[in-house]
Amino acid sequence: MTERAQGPTGGTGRIGLAEVYNPSMLPTLRAGDQLLLRYGSRVRPGDVVVLRHPFQHDLLIVKRAVERRGTGWWVVGDNPAVTNDSREFGAVPDELVVARALLRLRSPRGLQRSPLALLGWLPSAVRPLSSRSRRLRAR
């Protein structure tokens, strides 16, 4: 299964939201998480990106950009059990990279509505997805 992103297609420099549906980016991203995206943004190794699936251009997927290979990006999911990434379809051409994820917004779904539970959830609710973040680097 792949990580699907649903959101508007945007031009260069635009901001948008996408929702994560599947487990290929676990533990970094879970189903129901929202991503704040910057369309047309420069991609660096370690960035989480939204791209068009190379074999199914109407499907948007979320992966981590690992390295440049020729005129494209080698992308992988953070979940090693899911192989629907460059290990399956090779490097992704630059023109299929739609946006770079800036922030993860975690949904409070399934959370107890007590004040203590909300305080525990709050620090993990918004997390930057920077390529400079050691914890979120591609493995």
Side-chain angles (χ1 to χ4, degrees):
M1 298 194 82
T2 62
E3 219 48 62
R4 287 188 295 149
Q6 179 180 352
T9 56
T12 302
R14 294 182 123 176
I15 299 291
L17 284 176
E19 183 174 352
V20 175
Y21 288 97
N22 293 315
S24 78
M25 287 298 290
L26 282 172
T28 306
L29 302 174
R30 298 189 291 213
D33 285 352
Q34 297 282 318
L35 299 176
L36 179 66
L37 306 175
R38 178 173 293 277
Y39 294 94
S41 184
R42 181 177 165 206
V43 176
R44 289 175 273 216
D47 285 346
V48 174
V49 294
V50 173
L51 53 122
R52 295 192 184 285
H53 193 285
F55 303 145
Q56 199 175 344
H57 289 195
D58 61 336
L59 177 64
L60 295 176
I61 58 176
V62 180
K63 301 295 175 194
R64 188 175 300 280
V66 176
E67 65 184 14
R68 295 283 307 168
R69 293 211 180 161
T71 59
W73 282 95
W74 190 263
V75 297
V76 296
D78 286 356
N79 183 348
V82 179
T83 59
N84 188 9
D85 54 28
S86 286
R87 294 172 286 176
E88 182 179 296
F89 47 69
V92 177
D94 287 332
E95 61 269 13
L96 297 182
V97 177
V98 174
R100 180 170 60 94
L102 304 174
L103 289 173
R104 179 208 67 208
L105 309 166
R106 181 130 302 151
S107 169
R109 281 189 282 204
L111 186 69
Q112 293 178 349
R113 298 292 185 223
S114 72
L116 189 58
L118 286 173
L119 283 175
W121 164 81
L122 196 56
S124 70
V126 177
R127 168 131 331 140
L129 293 172
S130 167
S131 61
R132 293 182 273 281
S133 171
R134 184 181 310 166
R135 183 174 186 277
L136 299 177
R137 282 204 188 270
R139 293 171 223 139

